[in-house]
Amino acid sequence: MHETLAYLPQILPAYIAYIVAVVSPGPAIMAIIGTSMTHGRKAGTTIALGIFGGSLTWATAAAAGLATLLQTYAMALEVLKIFGGIYLLYLAYKAFRAVRASGEMPTAAEGPKTPGFKSLLLRGYGIHVTNPKAIFAWLAIIALGMPQGAPASVAVLIIAVCGVTGFVVFMGYAILFSTPHALKVYRNARRWIEGVMAGFYCFAGIKLLTSNI
């Protein structure tokens, strides 16, 4: 344990970098916000849980040395980029359909229908795990906090601390944007909010498809 704590000067910058990355608005955060405001707290925390699972997947892969694997199988990353871009465009299409729906906020009895637990969980996981940008963020964090020759326990500590922080941030967004005040804002500006969501997902999808990774 003492040997691991000796690397705290290197771990701290990595942790700060993670905080900046995790609180910055991106497809994952926008999905949590949109779901929480549209379907409520339970749905928001469920999709946040799926996104958290995707983040842990990339974190574990980065710590296990996925960088070498990606260099060997570069085509796999390219395929992942395409799937991620198409998925974001699909989310943009769904948000655009919501914009074209009736301007009145539907009642709980008549819609919009809340997706099931499994559907929301997989949606959140899919958003994060199909985004190659996430793996590069984790690769940078692991490389920053774990210098050459550091024991594996350092990577475990980085993932544990960042994981707890990510969980709190994701759930915090879900809870914050499912409050009565947030729902009131959504009722009053539903079309504008869905329009912003559609535009954001479209922009993120096109940017991902046309980026050089």
Side-chain angles (χ1 to χ4, degrees), residues 105-131:
M105 182 71 178
T107 64
E110 60 187 14
K113 183 179 179 182
T114 301
F117 176 84
K118 183 178 179 180
S119 175
L120 285 168
L121 198 67
L122 291 176
R123 181 184 300 180
Y125 187 81
I127 288 173
H128 213 61
V129 85
T130 58
N131 185 3

Side-chain angles (χ1 to χ4, degrees), residues 43-125:
T45 54
T46 300
I47 198 170
L49 187 62
I51 289 169
F52 174 71
S55 181
L56 282 186
T57 298
W58 282 133
T60 304
L66 187 62
T68 302
L69 183 64
L70 291 178
Q71 289 175 0
T72 305
Y73 301 100
M75 182 58 67
L77 187 61
E78 190 68 24
V79 171
L80 187 64
K81 183 187 78 169
I82 294 173
F83 271 105
I86 292 174
Y87 188 61
L88 288 173
L89 290 177
Y90 167 71
L91 293 178
Y93 167 73
K94 292 191 67 175
F96 179 71
R97 285 187 61 187
V99 173
R100 297 187 61 186
S102 172
E104 294 297 323
M105 182 71 178
T107 64
E110 60 187 14
K113 183 179 179 182
T114 301
F117 176 84
K118 183 178 179 180
S119 175
L120 285 168
L121 198 67
L122 291 176
R123 181 184 300 180
Y125 187 81

Side-chain angles (χ1 to χ4, degrees), residues 155-191:
V156 173
L157 181 60
I158 293 173
I159 293 174
V161 174
C162 291
V164 171
T165 302
F167 183 83
V168 171
V169 170
F170 294 148
M171 292 299 172
Y173 270 112
I175 293 172
L176 176 63
F177 285 92
S178 61
T179 58
H181 178 71
L183 294 176
K184 182 179 179 180
V185 171
Y186 178 77
R187 290 189 181 96
N188 294 333
R190 186 176 70 86
R191 283 194 169 186

